[in-house]
Amino acid sequence: MGGFHSGELAVQERAGVRHLAQRLSPMLAPPTLSGGAGRFLAGRDLAVITARDRDGRLWTSPLVARPGFLTGYNASLHVNAVPHQGDPLHDLPAGQEIGMVAIDFAARRRMRVNGTLTRVDGGLHIEVEQAFGNCPQHINPDHRLPLAPHPSITDRSALIEKADTFFLGTIHPSRGADASHRGGDTGFVHLDGDDLWWDDLPGNNMFNSLGNITVNDEAALLFLDFETGARLHLSGRARIEWTGPQRRVRFTTEARA
């Protein structure tokens, strides 16, 4: 696997940034987690994964643990955690593509790790196909998710409407799954009946998520309450709405947890 796929190239072209994105294509080279990338992962206490449940539905879920739960070496990553009981990915099967983003809110740094989930045995074993950092834009440095078990959500709409952060999961038929961070001003995610939408803000111009959506509209959203630890998982379909080179993403919910 190498270079941008057709969906990413199409979005880059329509947004007028294909020449800028091409300069970033070396980031998609075969990864190694034995140096700085591995040290960054080892210091994290939060990672978010995108994968399918046993019924084949796509979800995005958090993994919260003390630093050291992510251990990378060469192109392998061991995750000493699994989604908690009650999470839609609690019993996720091995032998599938998985996406991950690990984030350091305080330092405004994040890293995406995509690959194949080869084993689930009280932890997750991932053979990594891509690992690269993302730009620091739109990251709230004050966020930290509690380690304690999360309470139930009493008002889903309020959690969405006050959010300045959420996580987006997408998947490509042959290039695998992806988990990404989305941030903006409080209220940047809008409710419209049964749909949600948000303006796609400028980033690194790679368009990994929007490129996946262009090819396959399956998507999953994760909203977190960083004060209480409450989580809202949504699974459904997404589409890009273009107004010239600018765009917004509209998401239709099919399932929630």
Side-chain angles (χ1 to χ4, degrees):
M1 175 167 51
F4 295 111
H5 64 64
S6 61
E8 293 164 334
L9 293 171
V11 178
Q12 293 164 11
E13 185 71 30
R14 186 154 185 180
V17 298
R18 187 167 178 178
H19 64 293
L20 296 174
Q22 287 303 310
R23 296 187 297 184
L24 301 176
S25 58
M27 295 171 62
L28 304 178
T32 177
L33 302 182
S34 299
R39 291 190 294 273
F40 174 79
L41 293 171
R44 305 285 59 79
D45 59 6
L46 170 65
V48 173
I49 61 171
T50 296
R52 296 189 187 277
D53 64 16
R54 290 195 174 272
D55 293 325
R57 177 166 289 282
L58 195 71
W59 296 97
T60 296
S61 295
L63 300 172
V64 187
R66 300 194 182 281
F69 84 104
L70 299 173
T71 305
Y73 180 73
N74 290 340
S76 296
L77 177 66
H78 174 67
V79 183
N80 190 27
V82 294
H84 67 84
Q85 186 77 36
D87 187 287
L89 290 178
H90 173 67
D91 190 31
L92 80 168
Q96 64 167 308
E97 297 300 303
I98 187 170
M100 173 185 291
V101 59
I103 189 163
D104 180 347
F105 285 105
R108 301 177 66 236
R109 295 181 62 196
R110 52 193 165 181
M111 175 173 289
R112 283 153 92 155
V113 178
N114 304 330
T116 302
L117 179 63
T118 58
R119 196 165 77 250
V120 180
D121 55 4
L124 308 177
H125 300 265
I126 302 171
E127 289 303 311
V128 178
E129 296 163 4
Q130 292 181 341
F132 54 89
N134 276 169
C135 66
Q137 297 184 74
H138 318 303
I139 297 177
N140 186 331
D142 298 324
H143 283 328
R144 184 178 180 85
L145 195 66
L147 285 172
H150 67 281
S152 60
I153 296 171
T154 57
D155 191 337
R156 295 186 179 95
S157 296
L159 179 61
I160 293 169
E161 291 177 327
K162 73 177 184 180
D164 63 9
T165 297
F166 74 95
F167 294 88
L168 170 64
T170 59
I171 191 164
H172 185 276
S174 62
R175 292 293 189 93
D178 185 80
S180 68
H181 162 276
R182 290 291 187 268
D185 294 333
T186 299
F188 82 110
V189 183
H190 305 271
L191 289 168
D192 184 7
D194 293 331
D195 290 356
L196 313 177
W197 66 268
W198 63 92
D199 290 320
D200 187 63
L201 302 175
N204 61 12
N205 296 318
M206 295 173 72
F207 292 114
N208 305 113
S209 298
L210 268 59
N212 286 351
I213 291 170
T214 298
V215 176
N216 174 28
D217 66 356
E218 291 178 276
L221 308 183
L222 170 68
F223 290 89
L224 301 171
D225 186 323
F226 290 95
E227 294 182 1
T228 68
R231 299 121 188 238
L232 173 62
H233 307 257
L234 303 176
S235 180
R237 305 281 169 174
R239 66 182 185 273
I240 307 168
E241 298 177 339
W242 290 91
T243 54
Q246 306 305 313
R247 65 251 154 218
R248 65 176 50 166
V249 181
R250 182 172 293 271
F251 176 86
T252 301
T253 302
E254 295 180 337
R256 60 172 56 90

